[in-house]
């Protein structure tokens, strides 16, 4: 509940003191207070949240908060009566007179609530909302009112900052405010691992140490990491507990926390820029949304959330706690500044995501042309459903497994599978595995690697009347039949004859004119060839 001072006939005295503001109240012919003033307690915490114990910081473990609190990569929601203080990542506060004294970072105040900031006292009555930004170094020190009004006292005066206005704590000016970075609104929670399941275009993964690299399918997202999409790009993040989120172009999604809860391993994500398309699949309850703007645990829900506060519902139902627990149903949308929902209006982003959902729902296929039985090298073109992840290996006769390289092919859904140049000759079972959104397909074929040319010995060519007899001994590693090519003559007059031979062979051909040049060669099933010398 809120302070009795908000409704009781009290005389309020505000004193500026070192380190904050002292607020006292003296009753003016009023009965004794029915209940003590609200005090801060930790209602919800995710990620790294620590409390001050004496002079050291320790991991938060109890709801009561009497000294101070700070966050790393994480977030905390503090209760103050029926009001709330949401503490963003890398933020710090202390407790003063039972209220939050905001020191550094980002905060969201949801009324009715009171707090101290840089020697000023803030009071929000009713369901007002305001953000406080205290950037280290003083580059951004402000109060911005999102809803209702905030009463500010201290520094020798008292005044009100209203909805759509911001107060600079450094200069004292009040100017117009438009929300462009609602960090507090887009927080997503999924059970299990948060993994990149699909992507297209320029998608980068920012590590917790600040380094940046291209993202790849099967990348797991950890605390402090973030995905960024470029123009025309998108990335899909799936949870092993079910459901997925698609980050659209020019968007950024960060990982606030990864922790164990009663529901299992939970990953908390925050949309800091752009658009997130969400699909909570029927029969999969592992994905939910937990945020001041949108909350849902409804199965079979498809909805879109923009960082600027737009919410669209295509299937199911989504609750909007920031709008008095208003429920949006399929076919409705609402902007942050709208008092009531309106009919759903599709735009290009919606149509793109719907098309991608259809593509995602396609069954997984995997196919390849059956390779020749004998090969010089493994070089296969494999076709799979787009956004599949492929791996390949070979198994030799001794049961040893060797990985093969897989690279994207020239067309969408095509992949090239190649063996290492040093892979020994021999018989192998080639296996290609494709996975896509939990579905798996395997293709296999037996091949023989043969890079050695065939050999010939004791070869002779003799003319007997109208016939040319060619004989000798042929051998090859593969043990398969060889192709003997005899070329009679040269240039335009040359004539080529081929015959299949094995082991000891004897081939009869029409005898050419005396003195006609004769050239012989042998080729095996893998394409290896050797010239056959004649005595």
């Amino acid at each position: 509940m809120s302070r009795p001072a908000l409704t009781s006939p009290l005389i309020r005295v505000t004193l500026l003191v070192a380190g904050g503001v002292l607020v006292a109240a003296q009753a003016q012919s009023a009965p004794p207070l029915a209940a003590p003033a609200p005090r801060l307690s930790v209602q919800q915490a995710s990620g790294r949240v620590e409390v001050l114990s004496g002079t050291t910081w320790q991991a938060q473990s109890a709801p009561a908060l009497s000294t101070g609190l700070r966050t790393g990569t994480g977030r905390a929601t503090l209760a103050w009566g029926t009001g709330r203080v949401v503490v963003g990542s890398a933020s710090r506060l202390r407790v003063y007179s039972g209220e939050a004294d905001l020191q550094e970072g980002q905060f969201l105040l949801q009324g009715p609530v009171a707090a101290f900031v840089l020697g000023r006292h803030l009071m929000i009555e009713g369901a007002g909302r305001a953000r406080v930004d205290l950037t280290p170094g003083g580059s951004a020190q402000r109060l911005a009112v999102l809803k209702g009004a905030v009463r500010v006292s201290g520094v020798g005066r008292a005044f009100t900052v209203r909805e759509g206005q911001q107060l600079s704590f450094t200069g004292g000016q009040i100017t117009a405010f438009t929300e462009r970075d609602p960090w507090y609104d887009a927080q997503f929670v999924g059970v299990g691992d948060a993994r990149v399941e699909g992507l297209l275009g320029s998608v980068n993964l920012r590590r917790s140490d600040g380094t940046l690299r291209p993202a790849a399918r099967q990348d797991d997202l950890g605390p402090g990491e973030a995905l960024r999409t470029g123009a025309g790009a998108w990335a899909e993040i799936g949870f092993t507990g079910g459901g997925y989120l698609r980050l659209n172009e020019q968007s950024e999604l960060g990982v606030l926390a990864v922790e164990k809860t009663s529901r299992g391993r939970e990953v908390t994500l925050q949309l800091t820029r752009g658009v997130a398309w969400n699909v909570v699949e029927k029969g999969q309850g592992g994905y939910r949304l937990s945020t001041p703007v949108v909350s849902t645990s409804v199965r079979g829900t498809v909805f879109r959330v923009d960082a600027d506060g737009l919410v669209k519902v295509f299937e199911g139902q989504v609750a909007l706690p920031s709008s008095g627990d208003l429920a949006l149903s399929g076919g409705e949308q609402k902007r942050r500044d709208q008092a009531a929902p309106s009919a759903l209006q599709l735009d290009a982003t919606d149509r793109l995501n719907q098309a991608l959902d259809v593509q995602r729902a396609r069954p997984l296929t995997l196919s390849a042309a059956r390779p020749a039985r004998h090969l010089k090298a493994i070089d296969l073109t494999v076709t799979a459903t787009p956004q599949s992840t492929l791996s390949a290996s070979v198994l030799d006769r001794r049961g040893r497994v060797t990985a093969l390289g897989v690279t994207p092919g020239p067309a969408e859904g095509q992949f090239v599978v190649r063996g290492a140049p040093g892979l020994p000759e021999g018989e192998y079972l080639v296996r290609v595995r494709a996975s896509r959104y939990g579905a798996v397909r395997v293709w296999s074929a037996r091949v023989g690697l043969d890079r050695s040319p065939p050999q010939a010995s004791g070869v002779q060519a003799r003319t007997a009347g109208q016939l040319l007899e060619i004989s000798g001994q042929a051998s090859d590693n593969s043990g398969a039949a060889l192709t003997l090519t005899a070329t009679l003559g040269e240039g335009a007059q040359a004539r080529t004859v081929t015959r299949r031979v094995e082991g000891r062979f004897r081939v009869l051909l029409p005898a050419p004119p005396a003195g006609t040049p004769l050239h012989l060669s042998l080729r095996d099933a893998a394409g290896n060839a050797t010239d056959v010398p004649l005595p």
Side-chain angles (χ1 to χ4, degrees), residues 496-517:
T496 299
V497 180
T498 61
R499 294 288 189 273
R500 300 289 287 174
V501 297
E502 292 183 73
R504 185 71 189 174
F505 67 87
R506 177 172 176 269
V507 175
L508 298 177
L509 302 175
T516 301

Side-chain angles (χ1 to χ4, degrees), residues 2 108 119 122 138 232 335 360 427 495:
S2 60
L108 175 71
L122 311 183
R335 296 186 180 276
R360 182 184 170 109
E427 296 289 322
R495 180 166 59 97

Side-chain angles (χ1 to χ4, degrees), residues 472-484:
Q473 180 76 32
S475 63
D476 185 63
N477 288 344
S478 67
L482 305 175
T483 301
L484 173 69

Side-chain angles (χ1 to χ4, degrees), residues 32 99 106 124 139-140 148 176 187 190 249 263 300 314 319-320 352 385 388-389 479 506:
E99 298 176 3
Q106 291 184 307
I124 302 178
S139 58
Q187 179 178 327
E249 66 170 347
R263 301 178 68 235
F314 298 83
L320 307 181
L352 170 64
T385 308
S388 298
T389 299
R506 177 172 176 269

Side-chain angles (χ1 to χ4, degrees), residues 422-496:
L423 194 64
E425 295 182 337
E427 296 289 322
Y428 292 97
L429 175 65
V430 180
R431 287 177 176 170
V432 180
R433 182 182 186 274
S435 61
R436 182 176 182 270
Y437 307 132
V440 175
R441 293 287 183 275
V442 176
W443 175 92
S444 63
R446 292 195 175 277
V447 299
L449 278 186
D450 179 11
R451 291 186 290 271
S452 300
Q455 302 296 317
S457 60
V459 178
Q460 294 183 346
R462 294 177 297 180
T463 301
Q466 301 298 315
L467 295 176
L468 173 64
E469 181 186 63
I470 303 173
S471 61
Q473 180 76 32
S475 63
D476 185 63
N477 288 344
S478 67
L482 305 175
T483 301
L484 173 69
T485 300
T487 303
L488 295 86
E490 295 178 334
Q493 304 300 318
R495 180 166 59 97
T496 299

